[in-house]
Structure formats: structure tokens, C-alpha cells
Amino acid sequence: VVVTGTLARYGRREVEDVLKRMGAQPSGSVSKKTGALVAGQKAGSKLAKAEKLGVRVISEDEFYEMVDACLGGKDT
């Protein structure tokens, strides 16, 4: 999972820590092996590459909904 762009609710490091708690492996770059991209505002080239490769793009709001479902509202 790659996190990119400006996130409104938490910093990138905090989001990556949550991903680890959920069993995901955060990455800094997008490749054909990337499972998903969490896209904040101004996601830029990583978003474009993910779309080109057909990687699932998740908005920041969708990410927090998934976290709430997985961790029972304990997203930090």
C-alpha cells in the first residue's frame, strides 16, 4: 500500500503505522505489485502511475472507513 498526497486528518507516518496494524506493508513507490494507493490531496505522479497500472485507488475518506471497520474505530 502506498500513501501519497496531503492528508487532512493524520500525517503520512501515522497512516503507515495504521496500515501496519492492519497487516499491510506500506511502500514508498508505486509498482505493478502495489495492492492499493491511499490518495490525499495533490497526489500527483504516484496517483497517475497507479491509475496507469490499474492499482486500486482509495480516497482518504474511504481509507478511514476501512480502518474503522477493521479496527473498530481505533484508527490511531
Side-chain angles (χ1 to χ4, degrees), residues 2-23:
V2 175
V3 180
T4 191
T6 303
L7 304 171
R9 193 165 159 189
Y10 295 105
R12 188 170 296 147
R13 174 94 52 206
E14 292 168 306
V15 170
E16 289 175 352
D17 288 344
V18 169
L19 286 166
K20 288 177 188 175
R21 288 177 48 201
M22 293 173 62

Side-chain angles (χ1 to χ4, degrees), residues 50-72:
E51 290 173 338
K52 180 180 177 183
L53 294 173
V55 172
R56 180 178 179 191
V57 176
I58 301 168
S59 72
E60 186 175 4
D61 289 338
E62 289 173 306
F63 171 73
Y64 292 124
E65 288 174 16
M66 294 169 75
V67 169
D68 286 343
C70 183
L71 299 178

